[in-house]
């Protein structure tokens, strides 16, 4: 367990650790939560996605960066938006 926690702290994703330890991603996240390990890249709230989508569609993606949104969140948000247009 300590190895898993340290690997997460060192940058391994929950999905990668789940595959490595042959457990579910939910089990990894539950373990981290139970050990009070801060999570990275938490999902954006629906209102944040809506706001980011409006900025993206208005050509104001650079505004997102000024709002201190992590690049991973921006990437996820853009993928979500692209899927909605298919």
């Amino acid at each position: 367990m300590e190895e898993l926690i340290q690997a997460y702290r060192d940058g391994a994703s929950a999905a990668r650790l789940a595959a490595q330890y042959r457990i579910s991603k939910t089990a990894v996240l539950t373990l981290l939560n139970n050990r009070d390990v801060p999570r990275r890249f938490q999902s954006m709230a629906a209102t944040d996605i809506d706001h980011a989508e409006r900025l993206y569609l208005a050509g104001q993606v650079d505004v997102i960066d000024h709002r201190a949104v992590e690049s991973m969140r921006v990437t996820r948000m853009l993928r979500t938006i692209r899927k909605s247009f298919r």
Side-chain angles (χ1 to χ4, degrees):
M1 298 246 193
E2 296 305 318
E3 286 180 21
L4 183 148
I5 292 169
Q6 190 57 50
Y8 182 80
R9 286 183 173 141
D10 290 342
S13 70
R16 185 176 128 213
L17 292 169
Q20 179 180 341
Y21 288 91
R22 294 187 172 131
I23 59 176
S24 70
K25 181 178 170 185
T26 301
V28 171
L29 296 174
T30 299
L31 170 69
L32 296 172
N33 286 335
N34 289 344
R35 298 290 182 98
D36 295 321
V37 177
R39 289 191 38 202
R40 301 182 309 265
F41 309 122
Q42 294 180 6
S43 300
M44 292 176 71
T47 54
D48 292 334
I49 292 172
D50 291 343
H51 179 71
E53 181 179 9
R54 284 193 300 279
L55 293 174
Y56 177 75
L57 293 174
Q60 298 177 354
V61 175
D62 59 326
V63 175
I64 295 170
D65 294 334
H66 295 288
R67 294 182 51 114
V69 176
E70 294 97 332
S71 61
M72 184 59 77
R73 284 189 178 184
V74 172
T75 302
R76 286 183 189 159
M77 177 271 308
L78 294 176
R79 283 187 196 139
T80 301
I81 292 169
R82 286 185 194 115
K83 287 179 185 176
S84 70
F85 286 104
R86 290 183 183 168

